Amino acid sequence: MNETYPRGADTASRGPISGERHGKRGDPGVNGIIHRLSSGCQCRKLPERFSPWLTVHKRHMLWSAHGTLERLLQAVADASSKARRGQAEFV
Protein backbone atom coordinates (compact mmCIF):
# COMPACT_ATOMS: atom_id res chain seq x y z
CA MET A 1 0.00 0.00 0.00
CA ASN A 2 1.59 3.24 -1.07
CA GLU A 3 -0.67 6.07 0.03
CA THR A 4 0.26 9.71 0.11
CA TYR A 5 -1.02 11.39 3.23
CA PRO A 6 -2.13 15.02 3.05
CA ARG A 7 -0.01 17.59 4.82
CA GLY A 8 -1.40 20.43 6.90
CA ALA A 9 -2.23 21.72 10.35
CA ASP A 10 -4.97 19.15 10.96
CA THR A 11 -2.90 16.03 10.24
CA ALA A 12 -2.87 14.94 13.91
CA SER A 13 -6.52 13.95 13.62
CA ARG A 14 -5.86 11.59 10.71
CA GLY A 15 -3.88 8.93 12.55
CA PRO A 16 -0.47 8.15 13.97
CA ILE A 17 1.58 8.49 10.79
CA SER A 18 -0.57 10.95 8.87
CA GLY A 19 1.11 13.90 7.27
CA GLU A 20 4.48 12.15 7.14
CA ARG A 21 6.55 11.84 3.98
CA HIS A 22 7.47 8.28 3.24
CA GLY A 23 11.10 7.27 3.03
CA LYS A 24 12.57 4.17 1.46
CA ARG A 25 10.04 1.51 0.47
CA GLY A 26 7.13 3.59 1.74
CA ASP A 27 8.48 3.46 5.29
CA PRO A 28 7.62 6.60 7.30
CA GLY A 29 10.17 5.60 9.95
CA VAL A 30 8.07 3.02 11.80
CA ASN A 31 10.24 0.06 10.80
CA GLY A 32 13.39 1.87 11.86
CA ILE A 33 11.86 2.74 15.23
CA ILE A 34 10.73 -0.85 15.78
CA HIS A 35 14.18 -2.14 14.81
CA ARG A 36 15.75 0.33 17.20
CA LEU A 37 13.43 -0.68 20.04
CA SER A 38 13.92 -4.41 19.49
CA SER A 39 17.67 -4.41 18.91
CA GLY A 40 18.77 -1.50 21.07
CA CYS A 41 20.93 -0.16 18.25
CA GLN A 42 21.82 3.50 17.96
CA CYS A 43 20.05 5.46 15.25
CA ARG A 44 23.31 6.16 13.45
CA LYS A 45 23.92 2.41 13.18
CA LEU A 46 20.59 1.57 11.51
CA PRO A 47 20.89 -0.67 8.44
CA GLU A 48 20.46 1.13 5.12
CA ARG A 49 17.14 -0.60 4.40
CA PHE A 50 15.44 1.79 6.85
CA SER A 51 14.73 5.49 6.50
CA PRO A 52 17.71 7.80 7.13
CA TRP A 53 18.90 7.61 10.74
CA LEU A 54 18.12 11.25 11.46
CA THR A 55 14.54 10.80 10.24
CA VAL A 56 14.08 7.75 12.47
CA HIS A 57 15.60 9.57 15.45
CA LYS A 58 13.44 12.69 15.04
CA ARG A 59 10.23 10.70 14.58
CA HIS A 60 11.04 8.44 17.51
CA MET A 61 11.57 11.43 19.80
CA LEU A 62 8.52 13.30 18.47
CA TRP A 63 6.19 10.30 18.56
CA SER A 64 7.39 9.34 22.05
CA ALA A 65 6.84 12.87 23.38
CA HIS A 66 3.33 13.10 21.92
CA GLY A 67 2.22 9.59 22.88
CA THR A 68 1.85 8.51 19.24
CA LEU A 69 4.37 5.70 19.54
CA GLU A 70 2.60 4.30 22.60
CA ARG A 71 -0.78 4.38 20.79
CA LEU A 72 0.73 2.74 17.71
CA LEU A 73 2.34 -0.06 19.71
CA GLN A 74 -0.87 -0.56 21.73
CA ALA A 75 -2.87 -0.88 18.50
CA VAL A 76 -0.44 -3.55 17.27
CA ALA A 77 -0.66 -5.39 20.61
CA ASP A 78 -4.47 -5.25 20.54
CA ALA A 79 -4.59 -6.60 16.98
CA SER A 80 -2.19 -9.38 17.91
CA SER A 81 -4.28 -10.29 20.93
CA LYS A 82 -7.45 -10.40 18.81
CA ALA A 83 -5.71 -12.57 16.22
CA ARG A 84 -4.70 -15.06 18.89
CA ARG A 85 -8.32 -15.25 20.05
CA GLY A 86 -9.57 -15.65 16.47
CA GLN A 87 -11.27 -12.25 16.42
CA ALA A 88 -8.95 -10.54 13.97
CA GLU A 89 -10.34 -7.93 11.61
CA PHE A 90 -8.28 -7.70 8.46
CA VAL A 91 -8.61 -4.57 6.38
Side-chain angles (χ1 to χ4, degrees), residues 18-90:
S18 296
E20 301 291 346
R21 284 185 30 201
H22 292 181
K24 294 178 183 177
R25 298 170 58 190
D27 173 23
V30 176
N31 291 333
I33 293 170
I34 292 172
H35 177 76
R36 185 172 181 221
L37 291 172
S38 64
S39 69
C41 82
Q42 297 176 356
C43 279
R44 290 180 189 227
K45 301 292 184 184
L46 280 173
E48 288 186 18
R49 68 180 179 267
F50 299 112
S51 294
W53 74 267
L54 189 56
T55 301
V56 172
H57 173 73
K58 285 180 179 180
R59 290 192 180 142
H60 188 182
M61 296 299 107
L62 179 67
W63 292 359
S64 292
H66 291 223
T68 303
L69 185 58
E70 185 176 340
R71 288 191 310 271
L72 181 65
L73 295 175
Q74 186 61 49
V76 170
D78 291 347
S80 176
S81 180
K82 285 181 180 180
R84 283 193 304 265
R85 292 191 309 258
Q87 303 171 344
E89 295 179 26
F90 296 100

